[in-house]
Amino acid sequence: GAVPAAGPADHDRARAALQAGEILPLPAILDRVQYEFIGQVLEVELERRDGRWLYEIDLLAPDGSIPKHEMNARIDVCNLGDAVFGVTRAQSQLFRRNDRRVARDDLDHILVQVFLEGGGLASGDHHIRAGDMLIIDLDQPHEMLNTDFANLTMVLPRELHPSLSGLLSVFHGRRLGQDNPMVPFIAEHLRSLWAHVPQMDMGHASVALKGTLGLLETWLTHEMEFTDDAAPEVSLAVGKSIFRYIDQN
């Protein structure tokens, strides 16, 4: 649809902000809409409100209604070189990727998510709460009923991270909850990375990403070796292995 701003002056400011890389281009917004919502895009408007740029999106939902969604146009993502890292905020929704949509989208990526606010009910009756982690393999079907939520998401292209992607895909759609002491440990690491990466150059960001992916790979390798009924000393052993990795790298 068309993308009108409030007036000529706003149109010029929007174009300047886009050229300066301060707001997301429309194709990136539409990609997020296709990922986060179910429906056909009817119209998109870009407007400035209270000092913020917002995309206002009208969708034709499967039930014939036309819900209106607003998405912050400001970039809440960062490029770590071999991965993209960002915060997503959205209203309650049913998110569904069936086999047909998986085949159509052809998105060979893995999402590593930390829920900052809200949660929902994922496939297999996994109740996701703030503080939990969720792995989504975009090459597999997935369904989740969300409350209003905010999550921190790392997007990993499978072809750039084949070994780690293989480990992550095993946990597709499963809640990684705070009852496992490694989950808050890894989640806090990801939140810390998000807080500090704006001050990093690409060299530092690359180093930070390498360490983060190493932590994930070490942890998940051990997780696959034990059942959910593992004794506390097993979790302690996993923690020690992580700290050994830090010391060695």
Side-chain angles (χ1 to χ4, degrees):
V3 192
D10 271 345
H11 178 79
D12 291 340
R13 285 197 295 269
R15 183 168 55 187
L18 180 60
Q19 292 174 345
E22 296 175 358
I23 62 175
L24 286 167
L26 179 58
I29 287 291
L30 293 180
D31 284 345
R32 284 181 57 181
V33 170
Q34 291 297 316
Y35 167 68
E36 295 176 10
F37 303 102
I38 298 175
Q40 177 185 349
V41 176
L42 298 178
E43 185 178 12
V44 181
E45 293 186 3
L46 176 62
E47 62 180 45
R48 189 170 179 83
R49 189 187 308 163
D50 298 326
R52 295 189 305 154
W53 288 105
L54 294 171
Y55 281 102
E56 190 173 272
I57 302 159
D58 290 344
L59 293 176
L60 177 61
D63 63 2
S65 64
I66 304 179
K68 189 181 294 288
H69 299 282
E70 291 184 350
M71 301 189 75
N72 194 337
R74 185 169 181 81
I75 295 178
D76 284 330
V77 298
C78 60
N79 182 1
L80 298 179
D82 288 347
V84 174
F85 203 27
V87 171
T88 296
R89 298 180 184 275
Q91 297 175 325
S92 59
Q93 61 184 277
L94 173 62
F95 169 68
R96 180 185 294 124
R97 286 179 62 80
N98 55 25
D99 288 321
R100 181 178 178 182
R101 185 169 179 181
V102 168
R104 183 196 69 190
D105 293 346
D106 192 26
L107 296 174
D108 202 13
H109 298 71
I110 303 284
L111 308 183
V112 179
Q113 300 182 325
V114 176
F115 276 77
L116 306 176
E117 303 169 11
L121 183 64
S123 303
D125 292 331
H126 287 265
H127 290 268
I128 310 297
R129 301 175 179 86
D132 290 345
M133 294 181 62
L134 181 67
I135 308 299
I136 299 177
D137 181 351
L138 293 181
D139 199 37
Q140 298 186 46
H142 177 64
E143 184 172 301
M144 182 168 180
L145 179 63
N146 287 101
T147 63
D148 293 357
F149 72 92
N151 63 35
L152 182 58
T153 300
M154 181 173 286
V155 183
L156 301 172
R158 194 187 307 269
E159 65 179 355
L160 297 181
H161 308 284
S163 177
L164 178 57
S165 295
L167 289 170
L168 290 167
S169 65
V170 174
F171 295 89
H172 167 71
R174 289 172 50 186
R175 170 183 175 264
L176 299 175
Q178 300 167 77
D179 48 324
N180 181 327
M182 292 305 302
V183 170
F185 176 80
I186 296 293
E188 182 60 32
H189 176 84
L190 292 172
R191 284 192 290 264
S192 178
L193 177 60
W194 175 250
H196 290 92
V197 77
Q199 287 77 48
M200 299 179 184
D201 58 26
M202 283 303 296
H204 290 146
S206 179
V207 170
L209 176 63
K210 182 178 179 181
T212 299
L213 299 186
L215 286 174
L216 281 169
E217 188 161 355
T218 304
W219 170 45
L220 293 177
T221 297
H222 283 270
E223 285 295 310
M224 291 180 65
E225 295 176 3
F226 306 111
T227 67
D228 292 336
D229 297 323
E233 54 265 32
V234 170
S235 294
L236 180 60
V238 175
K240 288 180 177 178
S241 72
I242 294 291
F243 289 115
R244 280 200 302 273
Y245 177 86
I246 295 174
D247 290 336
Q248 294 170 3
N249 292 274

